[in-house]
Structure formats: C-alpha cells, structure tokens
Amino acid sequence: MRILLLITGLLLSNIALADWQVDNSKSSLHFISVKKNSIGETHTFETLSGSVATNGDVKFDIDLASVNTNIAIRDERMRKFLFETNQFASATFNGKVDSKALAALAKGSVTTMALSGDISLHGQSQKVSLSVSVVKLANGDLIVSNIKPLVIQAEQFALTKGLMKLQELAGLPSISSVVPVSFSLYLKK
C-alpha cells in the first residue's frame, strides 16, 4: 500500500511540475505596419509555438511563413523579401520569468511579471525586457499578454533592405521601419 501511495505521489508531483505549452488555436500575435506615413494595418502570424517551464525558462517560436496580412501577394513578398523564410524560417524568444512567483500564483489570479530575454530574427539577436500580464485559470492554464506593445525596429534585425524592397514593389513613398507587436498566449498545462 505504501508503494502505491508513493508512486501516486510521484506521478501527481510530476504533473504539477509539468511545463505549460502554447495552444496555437487560442493564442495570437499581431503587428502593425504603417505605410504612406498615415495608413496603419494590423497583421498576424498564424503559427506560434513554445513553452514556459516550471523553472521559469520561456521559449517561444513564430513561424514566419505563417504571416497573414489578408493580402496574398503581400504575404508572399514579406516571406520572400522581408523575412527571407528560405534562410530564416522562424523568429524566436528565449527568456526567463520568476518561477517562484509563477508557482505561487493562485488559480483565478492575475499578476504582472517581468519577462526578459533575447529575440532572434533574421540572423540577429536583441535583448528585450517587458512587462506581461499573467492570468492563471481555474484549470491551471495560463494566459500571458504583453502590457505595452513591444517595438521592433527593422534596422536592429537587418530587415531594412527587405523593407525597402517591399516599398519599391508596392510603389509606396514610405513604410515605417518601427513596428509595434502585441501578443496573447494561451499556455496549457
């Protein structure tokens, strides 16, 4: 009987310490582009994956080929000339959150946490720090959203040349090189 209780205890403790995985169907990442100095448009990526480990390690991956601007030719051009998905298939974030604060978060509670790490995009890497809202649902799942948009600058990720090519192909006088990004990630246990 003791052995059965010990095994049950070990199994339950491993379940409690399991990582959270991104549920792509309930998650979103949006970015805004501005053309002609005044026309803003919201776009998204359709395929997101990643995890938050119980030790606080955060890994997040964006399939750049899944860009969706609601205009097929623009999506194709972004894949080919801006993101160059044949060479750089994904953008990644690797970082850390306070694992103790995450573990202490009661079900049904909301908190703000610091999230810092590295964004890798187009062969370049940049350190970022941002505040995120973390909601722990009754079933133990998490919803993590950035509180303020994360601002991506094209030149920091060697995207300026591709941006200029898009501007040329579309016959536009300008496309902003600064892009705000917002996300809401549903992480299931």
Side-chain angles (χ1 to χ4, degrees):
M1 184 57 123
R2 283 184 178 173
I3 292 175
L4 182 59
L5 288 174
L6 179 62
I7 291 171
T8 303
L10 288 173
L11 289 174
L12 289 176
S13 68
N14 283 341
I15 290 170
L17 296 175
D19 295 349
W20 290 274
Q21 300 294 321
V22 171
D23 183 338
N24 186 66
S25 69
K26 296 178 181 178
S27 299
S28 64
L29 183 142
H30 293 90
F31 64 100
I32 297 173
S33 66
V34 178
K35 62 185 181 185
K36 297 183 182 180
N37 295 320
S38 63
I39 301 171
E41 298 175 298
T42 303
H43 315 295
T44 191
F45 290 97
E46 299 293 331
T47 306
L48 312 172
S49 61
S51 63
V52 175
T54 53
N55 69 359
D57 288 343
V58 176
K59 296 180 181 185
F60 182 59
D61 188 76
I62 303 165
D63 177 1
L64 297 174
S66 73
V67 66
N68 183 354
T69 67
N70 292 317
I71 299 175
I73 188 69
R74 181 167 53 194
D75 294 348
E76 180 183 323
R77 289 175 176 171
M78 288 179 88
R79 285 189 290 270
K80 184 174 181 179
F81 300 112
L82 181 64
F83 299 126
E84 297 181 289
T85 56
N86 59 332
Q87 285 182 280
F88 309 104
S90 63
T92 61
F93 175 84
N94 288 293
K96 195 85 168 162
V97 294
D98 183 343
S99 60
K100 290 179 183 174
L102 193 58
L105 186 62
K107 292 179 179 180
S109 296
V110 180
T111 192
T112 299
M113 299 181 86
L115 176 62
S116 58
D118 296 304
I119 293 177
S120 296
L121 170 62
H122 204 249
Q124 306 297 311
S125 185
Q126 295 290 324
K127 291 197 176 302
V128 297
S129 293
L130 59 152
S131 292
V132 293
S133 171
V134 180
V135 178
K136 190 175 230 180
L137 303 176
N139 64 1
D141 292 351
L142 303 174
I143 298 175
V144 179
S145 305
N146 54 332
I147 293 172
K148 297 178 186 176
L150 173 64
V151 177
I152 300 292
Q153 297 180 22
E155 61 271 3
Q156 291 180 316
F157 294 98
L159 294 168
T160 306
K161 181 180 172 186
L163 198 59
M164 298 305 288
K165 181 66 175 178
L166 292 179
Q167 184 177 325
E168 173 194 328
L169 290 170
L172 295 170
S174 67
I175 299 175
S176 177
S177 64
V178 177
V179 178
V181 177
S182 297
F183 60 84
S184 178
L185 305 176
Y186 187 100
L187 297 140
K188 60 185 176 182
K189 201 70 161 142

